[in-house]
Amino acid sequence: MKMARLIALIGFVIFAATFLPPDWRPISAGKASAMTIAVKEAAAASSDRGIPGYLCAYMTIVLPWTSDGMRMLRHEPVDYFAILLSGWINPVFLITFILLLINPRNRSAGILRIVLILMFAACWIVFYYEHLHPRLGYFLWTAAMLLSLFAGKLFLGRRAPENVHIG
């Protein structure tokens, strides 16, 4: 397996792991919990664990289409569109990742990579408007997507090793 593809798959596994429920413990006690917490409210008590990644993903996909979302569109349009774009990040990532696995030189995937990077700004707008602080899970989620989508660019201009030897 080519090194770039292996790195992309490792990034994808980390991406998927950020969606695990906080109580999932096979990795090791406590570490799984920290890596899955995406955000925490600014006013939350220090004992509050925060909001896990899977719940953030669900809320940003569903909220814009609810009656609360429609109310938000009328009263806080910037926050509404930031939440809407944040909810589209995971589907855009998955589509881009699949396109790159099929054909690493796919022009559409290249465009979607740039679009995805621009969409990350929407998360920070949501953090500001909703008074949230990003946690470890958010940074792992972001880094995993970037690693998966740009793994092929790590070896640009030099030949990547064909085989990976561990041990």
Side-chain angles (χ1 to χ4, degrees):
M1 180 182 290
K2 291 186 178 183
M3 182 64 87
R5 188 163 280 217
L6 177 66
I7 290 171
L9 290 175
I10 289 169
F12 187 80
V13 168
I14 294 169
F15 166 80
T18 63
F19 291 97
L20 295 172
D23 299 340
W24 191 78
R25 300 252 186 229
I27 294 174
S28 82
K31 291 210 171 40
S33 177
M35 70 181 260
T36 62
I37 300 301
V39 295
K40 188 173 180 178
E41 292 182 43
S46 60
S47 61
D48 184 14
R49 290 170 51 166
I51 304 169
Y54 74 90
L55 192 54
C56 291
Y58 174 77
M59 289 188 306
T60 57
I61 284 283
V62 172
L63 180 68
W65 312 110
T66 65
S67 59
D68 288 338
M70 293 300 122
R71 207 171 310 117
M72 183 183 288
L73 176 60
R74 285 189 298 277
H75 300 291
E76 301 170 18
V78 173
D79 195 17
Y80 173 83
F81 284 107
I83 290 172
L84 183 70
L85 286 174
S86 295
W88 289 349
I89 290 174
N90 291 317
V92 169
F93 166 72
L94 293 172
I95 290 167
T96 308
F97 185 73
I98 290 168
L99 288 173
L100 286 171
L101 284 179
I102 294 169
N103 179 6
R105 291 179 173 74
N106 187 313
R107 184 170 169 81
S108 299
I111 293 168
L112 286 174
R113 276 195 290 217
I114 303 307
V115 168
L116 188 76
I117 289 172
L118 296 174
M119 290 172 76
F120 286 136
C123 295
W124 289 91
I125 295 169
V126 173
F127 295 160
Y128 176 78
Y129 277 96
E130 300 299 324
H131 308 288
L132 300 171
H133 291 232
R135 308 302 286 181
L136 178 62
Y138 168 79
F139 293 109
L140 284 174
W141 173 74
T142 303
M145 283 189 281
L146 293 174
L147 183 64
S148 294
L149 298 182
F150 290 93
K153 302 288 184 189
L154 293 174
F155 300 104
L156 202 61
R158 63 181 186 264
R159 185 166 165 77
E162 292 296 323
N163 295 319
V164 178
H165 299 285
I166 300 174

